[in-house]
């Protein structure tokens, strides 16, 4: 009985070991991972792509490396660890770095570097890169040149980490900070700037009002000149009309006088004609009586 139980136990243990060995001999590498087989402490074969891979159980393992970007953040405080600007002001900031393993250098990651070594290298290189880039600008130029500083730090960090089996995917710089003394200085500068701008606006307003008054005066002057010119033209036209009227009246009077003289002449001719009709050969008296109607009085002849 005891022998049977012992055999059963041995059989169960053997089956467990077999199942465990079979299970341990297969490893699945996901699409976001790459694998490397390590047998008895040595790297064997090439980089393993996504899929199921067989390896000898117990004596080998497949170490997997994620190629999904992962991030780390570094904070620069305002103090001895802060970055110094071109105008000797100490500033702080928060820098976030995202990186992933370079597929072409996975073997180097396995053989030469651990995660802690890579993270320490990123931190040291990041501090140096940020301080180098910030030192090129004054404190007033930091925010204005945010994109350029970020690109400078990225380029510098890539150069410093070129020997490591990683590649940077993104870098951001945010939350610029500076000392309280400089904060007061900024507020004073802003107040002075605001006062200058207010004075400039008031000056521009006065200049605008003065220009407006000049424009109004010029418009009034121009209107007066136009009115005077219009009045002059009106007076000239009135004088011309008067002169034409006077000329017309003089012409009319002349024509009336001329017609009157013609009528007188006609009357005289009519009288002479009547005298000629009545002439009997004798001397006609110079005086010829005329009626109120203008006819000649018929006088009886003397025999």
């Amino acid at each position: 009985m005891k022998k049977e139980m012992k055999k059963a136990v041995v059989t169960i243990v053997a089956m467990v070991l077999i199942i465990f060995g079979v299970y341990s001999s297969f490893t699945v590498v996901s699409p976001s991972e790459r694998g490397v087989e390590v047998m008895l402490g040595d790297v064997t074969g090439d980089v393993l792509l996504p899929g199921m891979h067989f390896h000898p159980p117990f004596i080998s393992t497949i170490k997997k490396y994620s190629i999904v970007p992962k991030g780390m953040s570094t904070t620069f405080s305002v103090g001895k660890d802060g970055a110094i600007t071109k105008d000797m002001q100490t500033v702080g900031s928060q820098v976030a770095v995202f990186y992933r393993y370079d597929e072409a250098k996975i073997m180097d990651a396995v053989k030469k570097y651990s995660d802690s070594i890579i993270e320490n290298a990123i931190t040291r290189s990041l501090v140096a890169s940020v301080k180098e880039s910030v030192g090129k600008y004054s404190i007033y130029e930091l925010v204005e040149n945010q994109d350029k500083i970020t690109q400078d730090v990225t380029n510098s960090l890539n150069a410093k980490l070129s020997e490591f089996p990683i590649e940077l995917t993104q870098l951001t710089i945010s939350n610029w900070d500076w000392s309280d003394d400089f904060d007061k200085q900024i507020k004073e500068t802003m107040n002075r700037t605001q006062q200058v701008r207010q004075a400039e606006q008031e000056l521009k307003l006065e200049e605008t009002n003065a220009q407006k008054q000049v424009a109004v005066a010029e418009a009034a002057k121009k209107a007066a000149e136009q009115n005077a010119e219009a009045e002059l033209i009106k007076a000239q036209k009135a004088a011309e009309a008067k002169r034409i009227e006077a000329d017309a009246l003089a012409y009319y009077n002349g024509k009336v006088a001329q017609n009157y003289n013609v009528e007188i002449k006609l009357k005289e001719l009519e009288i002479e004609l009547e005298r000629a009709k009545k002439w009997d050969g004798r001397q006609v008296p110079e005086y010829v009586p005329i009626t109120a109607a203008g006819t000649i009085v018929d006088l009886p002849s003397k025999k």
Side-chain angles (χ1 to χ4, degrees):
M1 188 70 178
K2 291 182 179 180
K3 290 182 179 180
E4 291 179 357
M5 291 183 62
K6 185 182 290 186
K7 286 181 180 180
V9 171
V10 171
T11 301
I12 294 172
V13 170
M15 290 181 64
V16 170
L17 291 175
I18 291 171
I19 294 172
F20 180 77
V22 172
Y23 178 80
S24 302
S25 62
F26 290 95
T27 300
V28 176
V29 178
S30 69
S32 62
E33 296 175 330
R34 298 296 180 268
V36 176
E37 183 178 355
V38 180
M39 182 178 294
L40 299 176
D42 292 330
V43 177
T44 62
D46 298 324
V47 176
L48 302 178
L49 298 177
M52 180 177 288
H53 299 275
F54 172 80
H55 58 91
F58 307 115
I59 62 173
S60 70
T61 59
I62 292 179
K63 190 171 184 178
K64 294 184 286 187
Y65 289 86
S66 175
I67 59 173
V68 175
K70 54 183 178 180
M72 56 181 297
S73 179
T74 300
T75 300
F76 296 83
S77 59
V78 181
K80 63 179 182 178
D81 295 330
I84 300 177
T85 62
K86 185 172 62 176
D87 51 353
M88 304 306 292
Q89 296 290 336
T90 302
V91 296
S93 63
Q94 187 171 2
V95 185
V97 179
F98 293 87
Y99 68 96
R100 66 183 179 185
Y101 285 103
D102 186 352
E103 292 187 49
K105 299 180 180 180
I106 292 293
M107 287 298 183
D108 291 341
V110 179
K111 296 176 181 180
K112 299 179 182 180
Y113 305 101
S114 63
D115 290 342
S116 60
I117 291 176
I118 291 175
E119 291 177 359
N120 289 334
I122 293 175
T123 301
R124 291 194 305 271
S125 300
L126 182 61
V127 170
S129 298
V130 170
K131 290 186 176 182
E132 288 173 4
S133 183
V134 169
K136 299 176 183 178
Y137 302 91
S138 70
I139 193 170
Y140 300 100
E141 299 171 334
L142 294 179
V143 178
E144 180 182 354
N145 294 276
Q146 175 86 12
D147 294 339
K148 190 173 182 180
I149 294 173
T150 301
Q151 188 60 50
D152 289 345
V153 173
T154 301
N155 294 338
S156 176
L157 192 58
N158 275 322
K160 288 179 171 60
L161 297 174
S162 60
E163 62 179 278
F164 291 88
I166 59 172
E167 57 182 4
L168 299 182
T169 59
Q170 187 180 3
L171 185 144
T172 59
I173 302 177
S174 59
N175 298 332
W176 291 107
D177 193 14
W178 40 75
S179 65
D180 294 338
D181 292 338
F182 187 75
D183 222 359
K184 294 179 182 178
Q185 182 179 343
I186 290 178
K187 291 180 180 179
E188 292 176 358
T189 303
M190 290 178 64
N191 290 334
R192 288 195 295 268
T193 302
Q194 183 65 27
Q195 292 173 359
V196 171
R197 288 180 179 175
Q198 184 176 356
E200 290 176 350
Q201 291 176 355
E202 292 176 353
L203 179 60
K204 288 182 179 179
L205 181 61
E206 291 178 359
E207 291 177 351
T208 301
N209 291 334
Q211 292 174 355
K212 184 177 180 180
Q213 292 177 358
V214 170
V216 171
E218 289 179 350
K221 178 182 177 182
K222 186 175 182 180
E225 292 176 350
Q226 290 177 347
N227 291 335
E229 184 177 358
E231 291 295 331
L232 178 61
I233 294 173
K234 183 178 179 181
Q236 290 176 345
K237 289 183 178 180
E240 183 68 17
K242 289 289 185 182
R243 184 184 66 76
I244 293 173
E245 183 180 358
D247 290 344
L249 182 60
Y251 177 78
Y252 173 77
N253 291 335
K255 288 295 184 180
V256 170
Q258 183 179 357
N259 291 337
Y260 183 72
N261 292 332
V262 169
E263 289 180 1
I264 293 175
K265 226 27 169 166
L266 289 174
K267 286 295 181 181
E268 289 178 352
L269 291 175
E270 186 180 350
I271 293 171
E272 288 295 329
L273 180 61
E274 291 295 330
R275 289 176 60 187
K277 289 179 180 180
K278 298 181 180 292
W279 188 49
D280 56 357
R282 295 179 297 172
Q283 179 68 34
V284 179
E286 296 180 358
Y287 171 74
V288 179
I290 301 175
T291 65
T295 58
I296 300 174
V297 178
D298 187 13
L299 299 175
S301 61
K302 294 179 181 182
K303 298 182 179 181

